[in-house]
Amino acid sequence: MTGVTTPQGPVERVPVLEVENISVAYAAARGAVRAVNNVSFTLHKGEALALIGESGSGKTTLALALIRMLVRAAKVTEGRVRYVKNGAAQDVLGLSEREIRRFRWSECAMVFQGAQNAFNPVLRLSEQFSDTARAHGKGDRAWVKRRTLELFKLVRLDPERVYNAYPHELSGGMKQRALLALGVLLDPQVVILDEPTTALDILTQRAIIDVLAEMQDRLGFSIIFISHDLALAAEMADRVATMYAGEIIETGTVDDIFYEPLHPYTLGLLRSVPRLSGSQDLISIPGSPPDLISPPPGCKFHPRCPFASERCRSEAPPLEDFGAGHLAACWHTDRVVEARQGLWSDGAVVTRG
Ligand SMILES: Nc1ncnc2c1ncn2[C@@H]1O[C@H](COP(=O)(O)OP(=O)(O)OP(=O)(O)O)[C@@H](O)[C@H]1O
Ligand code: SF4
Ligand SMILES: [Mg+2]
């Protein structure tokens, strides 16, 4: 348990998910695709952690490993996931099939990428909510209806209309709100959202983020928020973890990551976001992500890194604490500190707070 100090005094941060050295590999014809490597982090109660990184960096694989929904070809090769509730810890990877099924909705829910098709087109939403509850031992129809209507109200949907609707009667944004409601139906402590707003227009995205923040405020769950959209991640999260080639290469508070990045890759991601002022050219990170079957030696980012030295080419940097929980895996963070000067001088793309 760690402590933070607020104007009201120290507040204890209670862990709900402790991920220790998780690695995941997919069996492919050419060899093992090491999609997640030695990832560790702790998610605290009521906290929102954003996972950011380019396509293929392992965000979805990591999330699926946490709730044991990996495809058959994938295996967790090492590590541990501890889920803590009311002071008691469970070893998620050691749960039986029956226990993990209950765990998935009741303790840790996941809203997937491309959620538009998640609802069964031939069933009214009322039936889908009661089926989900029944499958997890909550057969009391009156309770399910009450809870569903309450949640629809919370996600700003017209409760009665949506309760009796078929999925095709709802817009994309409405379906996404209904899916958020379904995610928290059984009051999980952790909600994992994988690209929850992709495929929605920008106004709908913003509305969903507002709804999510309000739900979290009211229900107190913790969030793992996976997104390509750095501005949304900054708005939604308390802490951010940057993934590259299956590793967390930097983690810290939103301010640490967006205003004082220490890793060249995080800096590259920030520079590839369009500025509001439009006064600086968009700089994309040169090169492409490494082959995860035979990644480069040393720091995996070295073939793309402007600061790479001999040491980087042979020795992998450890994830080191640079103070107050701001961790980065880089031999030359001093170069990043110099290079980031002026990063936000022409108008920030993300807003603080
Ligand atoms: N079924 C599979 N078989 C082999 N490799 C896979 C499989 N699924 C994913 N991978 C590989 O695992 C790596 C991580 O993929 P993952 O989908 O977790 O990335 P991601 O960060 O979620 O990407 P995106 O932002 O595009 O959703 C990628 O290199 C991908 O090619
Ligand atoms: S360790 Fe070297 S190659 Fe890796 S990110 Fe840092 S400077 Fe770049
Ligand atoms: Mg993904």
Side-chain angles (χ1 to χ4, degrees):
M1 226 179 263
T2 51
V4 290
T5 302
T6 70
Q8 289 77 39
V11 172
E12 267 188 335
R13 295 170 75 207
V14 181
V16 289
L17 205 59
E18 293 174 334
V19 178
E20 286 170 31
N21 291 321
I22 279 285
S23 298
V24 182
Y26 291 93
R30 273 200 313 126
V33 180
R34 281 171 283 171
V36 173
N37 296 292
N38 266 308
V39 165
S40 300
F41 65 87
T42 300
L43 181 71
H44 297 94
K45 198 165 181 56
E47 179 179 55
L49 170 73
L51 286 183
I52 61 172
E54 287 168 305
S55 187
S57 57
K59 305 179 298 295
T60 299
T61 304
L62 172 61
L64 292 174
L66 301 181
I67 53 165
R68 301 222 334 240
M69 281 195 71
L70 289 165
V71 294
R72 230 171 243 282
K75 287 272 171 303
V76 174
T77 53
E78 61 181 325
R80 199 158 79 125
V81 181
R82 288 174 87 238
Y83 174 75
V84 187
K85 189 174 189 180
N86 302 328
Q90 274 183 316
D91 167 17
V92 177
L93 302 184
L95 295 178
S96 68
E97 275 309 312
R98 195 177 59 81
E99 288 166 333
I100 193 73
R101 272 201 299 276
R102 199 200 75 82
F103 175 82
R104 272 187 210 126
W105 282 93
S106 310
E107 309 296 345
C108 183
M110 183 157 173
V111 176
F112 290 99
Q113 215 159 346
Q116 304 287 329
N117 309 318
F119 287 112
N120 183 334
V122 299
L123 293 180
R124 290 182 199 275
L125 266 77
S126 56
E127 293 166 85
Q128 311 205 29
F129 276 68
S130 60
D131 285 356
T132 302
R134 205 171 34 248
H136 290 84
K138 296 256 186 189
D140 179 347
R141 290 188 81 85
W143 176 87
V144 180
K145 180 166 185 186
R146 208 168 48 243
R147 171 94 180 152
T148 304
L149 294 177
E150 253 172 45
L151 291 172
F152 282 164
K153 206 163 147 204
L154 185 57
V155 298
R156 299 182 207 157
L157 286 171
D158 175 350
E160 292 293 344
R161 180 166 106 65
V162 173
Y163 188 72
N164 294 308
Y166 287 98
H168 73 264
E169 296 175 75
L170 308 180
S171 69
M174 289 166 83
K175 266 189 252 184
Q176 192 62 345
R177 284 159 196 250
L179 206 59
L180 292 179
L182 185 62
V184 298
L185 179 67
L186 302 176
D187 204 16
Q189 274 206 113
V190 178
V191 180
I192 302 176
L193 300 145
D194 192 353
E195 304 281 0
T197 61
T198 314
L200 299 174
D201 65 79
I202 201 146
L203 286 177
T204 312
Q205 284 188 7
R206 191 136 302 274
I208 296 279
I209 293 300
D210 288 349
V211 159
L212 195 55
E214 201 178 314
M215 287 171 84
Q216 193 195 16
D217 217 36
R218 288 274 292 279
L219 304 175
F221 51 81
S222 311
I223 294 179
I224 297 178
F225 183 84
I226 297 173
S227 183
H228 277 111
D229 188 325
L230 301 192
L232 283 186
E235 204 163 313
M236 194 56 228
D238 302 301
R239 279 195 309 134
V240 180
T242 311
M243 286 191 76
Y244 185 74
E247 290 168 11
I248 290 183
I249 49 88
E250 182 163 10
T251 179
T253 63
V254 166
D255 279 4
D256 288 340
I257 300 297
F258 288 94
Y259 294 92
E260 296 180 344
L262 289 171
H263 196 285
Y265 177 65
T266 309
L267 186 67
L269 286 179
L270 295 174
R271 289 207 159 139
S272 62
V273 173
R275 303 301 178 79
L276 289 180
S277 65
S279 61
Q280 191 175 328
D281 287 342
L282 209 63
I283 308 167
S284 65
I285 304 173
S288 47
D291 174 6
L292 296 175
I293 295 179
S294 52
C299 173
K300 288 183 185 152
F301 189 55
H302 86 247
R304 303 173 73 186
C305 183
F307 312 125
S309 65
E310 267 318 304
R311 186 183 197 186
C312 305
R313 288 182 251 280
S314 57
E315 234 182 298
L319 195 58
E320 245 185 277
D321 195 340
F322 287 82
H326 186 177
L327 277 60
C330 174
W331 295 124
H332 303 300
T333 52
D334 51 329
R335 303 285 308 275
V336 182
V337 172
E338 276 168 35
R340 78 186 180 209
Q341 301 303 328
L343 180 61
W344 303 117
S345 60
D346 62 339
V349 68
V350 290
T351 47
R352 275 175 195 265

